[in-house]
């Protein structure tokens, strides 16, 4: 005989006036968590009571119902209703939907309260994202959704961005196939096909870090902090139809620009417009490029401009600004941190003073007619206009005749030889670098051109260091003169002692914007403003200088002859440098670096994808990271492709002070070994650490200054 199954009886529900309800002391919730009472009250005011309360009759001492009901489940909803009643937004007698359990029920009231709280299933995050998207699709704005759920509008934007990821990846996330942090990384790109492609590449790899996903999705884009973007402006780029990829979950420095071709076109158009406007002022030529190489003005004469007279109004304004600057500086001199408004004001004052001091410069119209202008973008993305350079072929014939030297005249015909012209090689697209063959990656020798570029950085920093150390500059000069005198090098004219400005046959794009280049250029300009143009006037001016100023000027002139460039040696003689000559050159450079205390890290050099890491093999990259950041850091990237490895290595090495071999200090032991044979040829009082043999080939040798 079958046993009858006992049927379940559900508690009845009815509306009970709010003033007949009291909060049960058996409610298990004691700690505040989740949505606040205030937010819940606003939700009830907007949407009504979505879920009723669970109540039980309150009994008196005799076990009789009193007409009051206690609330063991729904305490937060009760508190929210109570708040609305106190705010006069809810009538105290308003009926409240309630489920009423029997007063004599066998289930403890505490059990009811606990079960109501722990048995609720939390909403999956993806359901929330999709719900937000559905509300927006039905006409609600992001601000409306944020107001409805009492959250910041940025949170709504983040949830909507998560819902916009490829549906295939959302399904994988829903099935716990990826973590939320991975889904957040995929929101950087709107390209569903690319998102899915990246996931296929990494899904079976242990390397699934969010930064790796972001890098793969943005590898063909341009950072918003790129100087080209700053120059053009993101607003202009977007107005032209360009797309900016943003990361709503991590700091992205303004995002990434997806259409690189459009950006380069906008940059070219803006530079062309500026160049055309400058050309209307009468200049013979204008060259515009994203970056102008360092030393491009070699062989050109710089014409002098005269700053326009400052007006009385500008003088008064400058004095007032300087007075305010001095007052604020004194007032906040002891402060650990400046208030934002004070910091902003100081920046405004300094910018205004610089604008007055750097007044427009006027040039002679005859000079303008034969001179030109370079237009480029500096490292911060600002327009840089360098005016007033005359090419050799544009010099008046009379000037060329007057300044012709003996070496400039053809001995057979007696005619003046045409001047050598060094033309700037300018490319808006930048210098192309051929990718290395990935097969057989190992610790190969560094490419010759890369070493030349690195040593160009070193040479420029060394020039700056020598120019700032007159004692070392004087020693180098005396060393050259004594070497010439005692080793009987041929001399010509009254005094064959000069410094030939060494220029770089190869250089990295960022060399012009380096701190060393700016320091050398600024110092040269300061001297140029005072040096007389005629020979007799120059002699008189030099005679009147005090010894300290003369030493500073000497150091600056000597520094231009410093040459620590690596070159590929010519084993067959002729033009170029010999192997011995190159060793002597680099050894001398190491000695000068130690004497001046020059350090390439302090000079501002940092390893980047462009200047080193993207130009060497994977083994070289790993070696650099291992030396600079440790073995564990190297293990983090040893499985990556070369492009990704180089980018991540740049981040890992950013603040480590690591330098490639051509930029490291040369130890004295190595120097002594390379100079051992040279010491044998010098007089006894010169033999030792300061001895040097001038390279037989003088193509790039350092020559002393008068």
């Amino acid at each position: 005989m079958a046993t009858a199954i006992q049927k379940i009886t559900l508690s009845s529900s009815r509306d009970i006036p709010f003033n007949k309800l009291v909060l049960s002391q058996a409610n298990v919730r004691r700690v505040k968590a989740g949505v606040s009472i205030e937010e819940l009250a606003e939700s009830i005011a907007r949407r009504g009571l979505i879920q009723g309360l669970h109540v039980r009759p309150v009994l008196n001492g005799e076990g009789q119902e009193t007409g009051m009901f206690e609330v063991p489940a729904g305490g937060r909803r009760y508190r929210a209703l109570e708040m609305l009643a106190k705010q006069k937004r809810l009538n105290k007698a308003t009926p409240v939907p309630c489920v009423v359990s029997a007063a004599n029920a066998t289930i403890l009231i505490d059990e009811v309260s606990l079960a109501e709280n722990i048995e609720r299933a939390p909403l999956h995050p993806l359901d929330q994202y999709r719900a937000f998207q559905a509300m927006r699709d039905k006409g609600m704005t992001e601000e409306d959704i944020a107001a409805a759920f009492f959250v910041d509008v940025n949170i709504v934007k983040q949830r909507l961005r998560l819902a916009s990821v490829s549906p295939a990846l959302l399904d994988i996330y829903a099935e716990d196939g990826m973590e939320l942090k991975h889904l957040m990384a995929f929101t950087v790109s709107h390209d569903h096909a690319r998102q899915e492609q990246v996931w296929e590449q990494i899904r079976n790899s242990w390397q699934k870090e969010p930064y790796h996903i972001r890098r793969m999705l943005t590898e063909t884009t341009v950072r918003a902090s790129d100087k080209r973007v700053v120059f053009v402006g993101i607003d202009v780029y977007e107005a032209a139809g360009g797309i900016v990829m943003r990361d709503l979950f991590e700091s992205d420095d303004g995002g990434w620009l997806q259409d690189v071709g459009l950006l380069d076109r906008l940059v070219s158009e803006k530079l062309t417009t500026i160049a055309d406007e400058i050309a209307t002022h009468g200049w013979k030529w204008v060259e515009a490029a994203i970056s102008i190489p360092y030393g491009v003005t070699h062989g050109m004469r710089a014409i002098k401009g005269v700053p326009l007279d400052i007006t009385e109004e500008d003088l008064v304004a400058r004095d007032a600004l300087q007075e305010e600057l001095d007052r604020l500086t004194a007032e906040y001199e002891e402060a650990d941190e400046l208030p934002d408004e004070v910091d902003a004001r100081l920046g405004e004052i300094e910018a205004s003073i610089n604008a007055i001091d750097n007044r427009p410069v006027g040039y002679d119209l005859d000079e303008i007619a034969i001179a030109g202008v370079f237009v480029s973008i500096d490292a911060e993305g600002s327009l840089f206009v360098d005016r007033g350079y005359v090419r050799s072929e544009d010099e008046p014939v009379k000037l060329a005749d007057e300044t012709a030297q003996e070496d400039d005249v053809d001995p057979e015909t007696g005619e003046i030889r045409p001047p050598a012209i060094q033309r700037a090689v300018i490319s808006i697209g930048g210098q192309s670098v051929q990718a290395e063959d990935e097969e057989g990656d190992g610790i190969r020798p560094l490419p010759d051109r890369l070493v030349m570029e690195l040593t160009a950085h070193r040479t420029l920093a060394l020039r700056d260091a020598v120019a700032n150390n007159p004692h070392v500059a004087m020693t180098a000069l005396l060393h050259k003169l004594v070497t010439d005198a005692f080793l009987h090098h041929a001399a010509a004219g009254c005094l064959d002692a000069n410094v030939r400005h060494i220029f770089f046959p190869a250089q990295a794009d960022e060399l012009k914007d380096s701190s060393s280049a700016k320091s050398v250029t600024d110092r040269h300009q300061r001297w140029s403003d005072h040096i007389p143009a005629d020979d007799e006037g120059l002699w008189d001016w030099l005679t009147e200088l005090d010894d300290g100023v003369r030493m500073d000027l000497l150091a600056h002139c000597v520094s231009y002859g410093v040459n620590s460039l690596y070159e590929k040696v010519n084993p067959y003689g002729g033009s170029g440098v010999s192997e011995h000559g190159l060793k002597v050159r680099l050894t001398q450079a190491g000695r000068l670096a130690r004497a001046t205390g020059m350090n390439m890290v302090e000079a501002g050099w940092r390893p980047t994808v462009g200047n080193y890491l993207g130009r060497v093999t994977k083994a070289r990259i790993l070696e650099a990271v291992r030396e600079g950041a440790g073995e564990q850091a190297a293990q983090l990237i040893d499985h990556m492709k070369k492009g990704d490895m180089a980018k991540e290595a740049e981040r890992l090495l950013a603040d480590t002070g690591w330098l490639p071999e051509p930029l490291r200090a040369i130890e004295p032991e190595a120097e002594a070994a390379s100079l051992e044979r040279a010491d044998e040829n010098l007089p006894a009082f010169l033999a030792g650490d300061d001895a040097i043999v001038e390279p037989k080939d003088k193509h790039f040798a350092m020559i002393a200054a008068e």
Side-chain angles (χ1 to χ4, degrees), residues 123-145:
L123 190 68
H124 192 282
L126 184 56
D127 291 329
Q128 183 191 112
Y129 311 154
R130 286 170 168 165
F132 278 4
Q133 188 170 28
M135 285 185 281
R136 187 178 64 175
D137 293 342
K138 292 178 180 179
M140 290 184 70
T141 66
E142 295 169 351
E143 290 74 16
D144 292 338
I145 298 172

PDB file of all heavy atoms in Angstrom, residues 123-145:
ATOM      1  N   LEU A 123      23.570  37.788  -7.934  1.00  0.00           N
ATOM      2  CA  LEU A 123      23.484  37.939  -9.384  1.00  0.00           C
ATOM      3  C   LEU A 123      24.872  37.803  -9.990  1.00  0.00           C
ATOM      4  O   LEU A 123      25.837  38.386  -9.494  1.00  0.00           O
ATOM      5  CB  LEU A 123      22.903  39.318  -9.714  1.00  0.00           C
ATOM      6  CG  LEU A 123      22.514  39.599 -11.165  1.00  0.00           C
ATOM      7  CD1 LEU A 123      21.329  38.746 -11.566  1.00  0.00           C
ATOM      8  CD2 LEU A 123      22.186  41.079 -11.341  1.00  0.00           C
ATOM      9  N   HIS A 124      24.986  37.014 -11.069  1.00  0.00           N
ATOM     10  CA  HIS A 124      26.269  36.908 -11.757  1.00  0.00           C
ATOM     11  C   HIS A 124      26.613  38.274 -12.349  1.00  0.00           C
ATOM     12  O   HIS A 124      25.749  38.965 -12.896  1.00  0.00           O
ATOM     13  CB  HIS A 124      26.195  35.860 -12.868  1.00  0.00           C
ATOM     14  CG  HIS A 124      27.540  35.491 -13.432  1.00  0.00           C
ATOM     15  ND1 HIS A 124      28.216  36.290 -14.326  1.00  0.00           N
ATOM     16  CD2 HIS A 124      28.341  34.412 -13.199  1.00  0.00           C
ATOM     17  CE1 HIS A 124      29.369  35.728 -14.642  1.00  0.00           C
ATOM     18  NE2 HIS A 124      29.466  34.580 -13.977  1.00  0.00           N
ATOM     19  N   PRO A 125      27.877  38.705 -12.232  1.00  0.00           N
ATOM     20  CA  PRO A 125      28.238  40.030 -12.756  1.00  0.00           C
ATOM     21  C   PRO A 125      27.826  40.244 -14.207  1.00  0.00           C
ATOM     22  O   PRO A 125      27.392  41.333 -14.583  1.00  0.00           O
ATOM     23  CB  PRO A 125      29.760  40.060 -12.599  1.00  0.00           C
ATOM     24  CG  PRO A 125      30.038  39.129 -11.463  1.00  0.00           C
ATOM     25  CD  PRO A 125      29.016  38.040 -11.587  1.00  0.00           C
ATOM     26  N   LEU A 126      27.934  39.192 -15.027  1.00  0.00           N
ATOM     27  CA  LEU A 126      27.592  39.339 -16.436  1.00  0.00           C
ATOM     28  C   LEU A 126      26.117  39.676 -16.616  1.00  0.00           C
ATOM     29  O   LEU A 126      25.746  40.427 -17.521  1.00  0.00           O
ATOM     30  CB  LEU A 126      27.947  38.059 -17.194  1.00  0.00           C
ATOM     31  CG  LEU A 126      27.742  38.092 -18.713  1.00  0.00           C
ATOM     32  CD1 LEU A 126      28.523  39.237 -19.329  1.00  0.00           C
ATOM     33  CD2 LEU A 126      28.152  36.770 -19.334  1.00  0.00           C
ATOM     34  N   ASP A 127      25.260  39.125 -15.748  1.00  0.00           N
ATOM     35  CA  ASP A 127      23.833  39.454 -15.825  1.00  0.00           C
ATOM     36  C   ASP A 127      23.613  40.941 -15.549  1.00  0.00           C
ATOM     37  O   ASP A 127      22.757  41.585 -16.162  1.00  0.00           O
ATOM     38  CB  ASP A 127      23.041  38.613 -14.826  1.00  0.00           C
ATOM     39  CG  ASP A 127      23.005  37.140 -15.226  1.00  0.00           C
ATOM     40  OD1 ASP A 127      23.043  36.864 -16.438  1.00  0.00           O
ATOM     41  OD2 ASP A 127      22.953  36.276 -14.327  1.00  0.00           O
ATOM     42  N   GLN A 128      24.384  41.492 -14.622  1.00  0.00           N
ATOM     43  CA  GLN A 128      24.265  42.924 -14.339  1.00  0.00           C
ATOM     44  C   GLN A 128      24.724  43.748 -15.536  1.00  0.00           C
ATOM     45  O   GLN A 128      24.071  44.715 -15.918  1.00  0.00           O
ATOM     46  CB  GLN A 128      25.091  43.298 -13.111  1.00  0.00           C
ATOM     47  CG  GLN A 128      24.953  44.755 -12.723  1.00  0.00           C
ATOM     48  CD  GLN A 128      25.973  45.169 -11.687  1.00  0.00           C
ATOM     49  OE1 GLN A 128      26.866  45.950 -11.971  1.00  0.00           O
ATOM     50  NE2 GLN A 128      25.843  44.651 -10.475  1.00  0.00           N
ATOM     51  N   TYR A 129      25.861  43.357 -16.153  1.00  0.00           N
ATOM     52  CA  TYR A 129      26.368  44.098 -17.303  1.00  0.00           C
ATOM     53  C   TYR A 129      25.330  44.112 -18.430  1.00  0.00           C
ATOM     54  O   TYR A 129      25.058  45.150 -19.046  1.00  0.00           O
ATOM     55  CB  TYR A 129      27.665  43.491 -17.829  1.00  0.00           C
ATOM     56  CG  TYR A 129      28.709  43.208 -16.780  1.00  0.00           C
ATOM     57  CD1 TYR A 129      29.667  42.217 -16.978  1.00  0.00           C
ATOM     58  CD2 TYR A 129      28.743  43.921 -15.589  1.00  0.00           C
ATOM     59  CE1 TYR A 129      30.635  41.951 -16.021  1.00  0.00           C
ATOM     60  CE2 TYR A 129      29.695  43.655 -14.624  1.00  0.00           C
ATOM     61  CZ  TYR A 129      30.628  42.663 -14.845  1.00  0.00           C
ATOM     62  OH  TYR A 129      31.573  42.388 -13.890  1.00  0.00           O
ATOM     63  N   ARG A 130      24.755  42.926 -18.678  1.00  0.00           N
ATOM     64  CA  ARG A 130      23.787  42.817 -19.768  1.00  0.00           C
ATOM     65  C   ARG A 130      22.498  43.566 -19.441  1.00  0.00           C
ATOM     66  O   ARG A 130      21.841  44.122 -20.337  1.00  0.00           O
ATOM     67  CB  ARG A 130      23.501  41.347 -20.038  1.00  0.00           C
ATOM     68  CG  ARG A 130      24.659  40.646 -20.773  1.00  0.00           C
ATOM     69  CD  ARG A 130      24.478  39.160 -20.834  1.00  0.00           C
ATOM     70  NE  ARG A 130      25.431  38.529 -21.765  1.00  0.00           N
ATOM     71  CZ  ARG A 130      25.688  37.229 -21.814  1.00  0.00           C
ATOM     72  NH1 ARG A 130      25.073  36.406 -20.949  1.00  0.00           N
ATOM     73  NH2 ARG A 130      26.552  36.736 -22.683  1.00  0.00           N
ATOM     74  N   ALA A 131      22.126  43.590 -18.170  1.00  0.00           N
ATOM     75  CA  ALA A 131      20.925  44.335 -17.773  1.00  0.00           C
ATOM     76  C   ALA A 131      21.125  45.830 -18.004  1.00  0.00           C
ATOM     77  O   ALA A 131      20.232  46.531 -18.505  1.00  0.00           O
ATOM     78  CB  ALA A 131      20.601  44.057 -16.309  1.00  0.00           C
ATOM     79  N   PHE A 132      22.309  46.339 -17.653  1.00  0.00           N
ATOM     80  CA  PHE A 132      22.613  47.748 -17.918  1.00  0.00           C
ATOM     81  C   PHE A 132      22.530  48.039 -19.413  1.00  0.00           C
ATOM     82  O   PHE A 132      22.001  49.072 -19.839  1.00  0.00           O
ATOM     83  CB  PHE A 132      24.003  48.092 -17.401  1.00  0.00           C
ATOM     84  CG  PHE A 132      24.065  48.402 -15.931  1.00  0.00           C
ATOM     85  CD1 PHE A 132      22.941  48.287 -15.132  1.00  0.00           C
ATOM     86  CD2 PHE A 132      25.246  48.813 -15.341  1.00  0.00           C
ATOM     87  CE1 PHE A 132      22.995  48.578 -13.776  1.00  0.00           C
ATOM     88  CE2 PHE A 132      25.314  49.112 -13.983  1.00  0.00           C
ATOM     89  CZ  PHE A 132      24.182  48.989 -13.204  1.00  0.00           C
ATOM     90  N   GLN A 133      23.072  47.119 -20.213  1.00  0.00           N
ATOM     91  CA  GLN A 133      23.069  47.333 -21.656  1.00  0.00           C
ATOM     92  C   GLN A 133      21.645  47.313 -22.199  1.00  0.00           C
ATOM     93  O   GLN A 133      21.287  48.122 -23.077  1.00  0.00           O
ATOM     94  CB  GLN A 133      23.906  46.261 -22.354  1.00  0.00           C
ATOM     95  CG  GLN A 133      24.121  46.513 -23.844  1.00  0.00           C
ATOM     96  CD  GLN A 133      25.143  45.575 -24.450  1.00  0.00           C
ATOM     97  OE1 GLN A 133      25.326  44.458 -23.970  1.00  0.00           O
ATOM     98  NE2 GLN A 133      25.823  46.021 -25.489  1.00  0.00           N
ATOM     99  N   ALA A 134      20.810  46.405 -21.675  1.00  0.00           N
ATOM    100  CA  ALA A 134      19.415  46.340 -22.128  1.00  0.00           C
ATOM    101  C   ALA A 134      18.676  47.628 -21.792  1.00  0.00           C
ATOM    102  O   ALA A 134      17.884  48.142 -22.603  1.00  0.00           O
ATOM    103  CB  ALA A 134      18.719  45.143 -21.474  1.00  0.00           C
ATOM    104  N   MET A 135      18.947  48.185 -20.610  1.00  0.00           N
ATOM    105  CA  MET A 135      18.292  49.441 -20.234  1.00  0.00           C
ATOM    106  C   MET A 135      18.744  50.584 -21.138  1.00  0.00           C
ATOM    107  O   MET A 135      17.942  51.441 -21.516  1.00  0.00           O
ATOM    108  CB  MET A 135      18.597  49.757 -18.764  1.00  0.00           C
ATOM    109  CG  MET A 135      17.801  48.883 -17.789  1.00  0.00           C
ATOM    110  SD  MET A 135      18.046  49.359 -16.062  1.00  0.00           S
ATOM    111  CE  MET A 135      19.628  48.603 -15.726  1.00  0.00           C
ATOM    112  N   ARG A 136      20.022  50.593 -21.485  1.00  0.00           N
ATOM    113  CA  ARG A 136      20.490  51.648 -22.381  1.00  0.00           C
ATOM    114  C   ARG A 136      19.886  51.478 -23.768  1.00  0.00           C
ATOM    115  O   ARG A 136      19.509  52.460 -24.417  1.00  0.00           O
ATOM    116  CB  ARG A 136      22.011  51.645 -22.473  1.00  0.00           C
ATOM    117  CG  ARG A 136      22.551  52.841 -23.259  1.00  0.00           C
ATOM    118  CD  ARG A 136      24.055  52.869 -23.313  1.00  0.00           C
ATOM    119  NE  ARG A 136      24.598  51.722 -24.033  1.00  0.00           N
ATOM    120  CZ  ARG A 136      25.892  51.564 -24.309  1.00  0.00           C
ATOM    121  NH1 ARG A 136      26.764  52.467 -23.906  1.00  0.00           N
ATOM    122  NH2 ARG A 136      26.321  50.498 -24.954  1.00  0.00           N
ATOM    123  N   ASP A 137      19.789  50.217 -24.230  1.00  0.00           N
ATOM    124  CA  ASP A 137      19.197  49.968 -25.548  1.00  0.00           C
ATOM    125  C   ASP A 137      17.735  50.401 -25.602  1.00  0.00           C
ATOM    126  O   ASP A 137      17.209  50.714 -26.680  1.00  0.00           O
ATOM    127  CB  ASP A 137      19.312  48.485 -25.900  1.00  0.00           C
ATOM    128  CG  ASP A 137      20.759  48.048 -26.118  1.00  0.00           C
ATOM    129  OD1 ASP A 137      21.613  48.939 -26.327  1.00  0.00           O
ATOM    130  OD2 ASP A 137      21.031  46.834 -26.068  1.00  0.00           O
ATOM    131  N   LYS A 138      17.081  50.418 -24.451  1.00  0.00           N
ATOM    132  CA  LYS A 138      15.660  50.806 -24.401  1.00  0.00           C
ATOM    133  C   LYS A 138      15.467  52.293 -24.135  1.00  0.00           C
ATOM    134  O   LYS A 138      14.348  52.735 -23.874  1.00  0.00           O
ATOM    135  CB  LYS A 138      14.949  49.983 -23.335  1.00  0.00           C
ATOM    136  CG  LYS A 138      14.847  48.494 -23.696  1.00  0.00           C
ATOM    137  CD  LYS A 138      14.166  47.690 -22.595  1.00  0.00           C
ATOM    138  CE  LYS A 138      14.094  46.214 -22.992  1.00  0.00           C
ATOM    139  NZ  LYS A 138      13.461  45.386 -21.926  1.00  0.00           N
ATOM    140  N   GLY A 139      16.561  53.061 -24.158  1.00  0.00           N
ATOM    141  CA  GLY A 139      16.421  54.503 -24.103  1.00  0.00           C
ATOM    142  C   GLY A 139      16.993  55.194 -22.894  1.00  0.00           C
ATOM    143  O   GLY A 139      17.081  56.430 -22.872  1.00  0.00           O
ATOM    144  N   MET A 140      17.405  54.471 -21.858  1.00  0.00           N
ATOM    145  CA  MET A 140      17.975  55.112 -20.681  1.00  0.00           C
ATOM    146  C   MET A 140      19.416  55.537 -20.974  1.00  0.00           C
ATOM    147  O   MET A 140      20.183  54.789 -21.592  1.00  0.00           O
ATOM    148  CB  MET A 140      17.950  54.168 -19.477  1.00  0.00           C
ATOM    149  CG  MET A 140      16.558  53.907 -18.927  1.00  0.00           C
ATOM    150  SD  MET A 140      16.586  52.869 -17.424  1.00  0.00           S
ATOM    151  CE  MET A 140      17.300  54.008 -16.235  1.00  0.00           C
ATOM    152  N   THR A 141      19.761  56.717 -20.528  1.00  0.00           N
ATOM    153  CA  THR A 141      21.136  57.174 -20.691  1.00  0.00           C
ATOM    154  C   THR A 141      22.004  56.594 -19.584  1.00  0.00           C
ATOM    155  O   THR A 141      21.493  56.050 -18.593  1.00  0.00           O
ATOM    156  CB  THR A 141      21.216  58.707 -20.644  1.00  0.00           C
ATOM    157  OG1 THR A 141      20.843  59.145 -19.322  1.00  0.00           O
ATOM    158  CG2 THR A 141      20.283  59.333 -21.674  1.00  0.00           C
ATOM    159  N   GLU A 142      23.324  56.731 -19.749  1.00  0.00           N
ATOM    160  CA  GLU A 142      24.241  56.252 -18.717  1.00  0.00           C
ATOM    161  C   GLU A 142      24.010  56.995 -17.410  1.00  0.00           C
ATOM    162  O   GLU A 142      24.088  56.411 -16.327  1.00  0.00           O
ATOM    163  CB  GLU A 142      25.684  56.435 -19.199  1.00  0.00           C
ATOM    164  CG  GLU A 142      26.019  55.570 -20.401  1.00  0.00           C
ATOM    165  CD  GLU A 142      27.350  55.937 -21.041  1.00  0.00           C
ATOM    166  OE1 GLU A 142      27.914  56.984 -20.645  1.00  0.00           O
ATOM    167  OE2 GLU A 142      27.810  55.198 -21.928  1.00  0.00           O
ATOM    168  N   GLU A 143      23.692  58.286 -17.506  1.00  0.00           N
ATOM    169  CA  GLU A 143      23.414  59.070 -16.299  1.00  0.00           C
ATOM    170  C   GLU A 143      22.134  58.603 -15.625  1.00  0.00           C
ATOM    171  O   GLU A 143      22.050  58.554 -14.388  1.00  0.00           O
ATOM    172  CB  GLU A 143      23.317  60.556 -16.655  1.00  0.00           C
ATOM    173  CG  GLU A 143      24.639  61.207 -17.054  1.00  0.00           C
ATOM    174  CD  GLU A 143      25.118  60.795 -18.439  1.00  0.00           C
ATOM    175  OE1 GLU A 143      24.297  60.247 -19.215  1.00  0.00           O
ATOM    176  OE2 GLU A 143      26.310  61.022 -18.747  1.00  0.00           O
ATOM    177  N   ASP A 144      21.102  58.258 -16.438  1.00  0.00           N
ATOM    178  CA  ASP A 144      19.839  57.770 -15.871  1.00  0.00           C
ATOM    179  C   ASP A 144      20.055  56.461 -15.120  1.00  0.00           C
ATOM    180  O   ASP A 144      19.515  56.261 -14.023  1.00  0.00           O
ATOM    181  CB  ASP A 144      18.806  57.551 -16.980  1.00  0.00           C
ATOM    182  CG  ASP A 144      18.362  58.859 -17.621  1.00  0.00           C
ATOM    183  OD1 ASP A 144      18.517  59.906 -16.965  1.00  0.00           O
ATOM    184  OD2 ASP A 144      17.881  58.815 -18.770  1.00  0.00           O
ATOM    185  N   ILE A 145      20.840  55.568 -15.706  1.00  0.00           N
ATOM    186  CA  ILE A 145      21.101  54.268 -15.062  1.00  0.00           C
ATOM    187  C   ILE A 145      21.860  54.473 -13.764  1.00  0.00           C
ATOM    188  O   ILE A 145      21.555  53.850 -12.741  1.00  0.00           O
ATOM    189  CB  ILE A 145      21.883  53.348 -16.020  1.00  0.00           C
ATOM    190  CG1 ILE A 145      21.064  53.061 -17.285  1.00  0.00           C
ATOM    191  CG2 ILE A 145      22.255  52.043 -15.321  1.00  0.00           C
ATOM    192  CD1 ILE A 145      21.833  52.316 -18.352  1.00  0.00           C
TER     193      ILE A 145
END
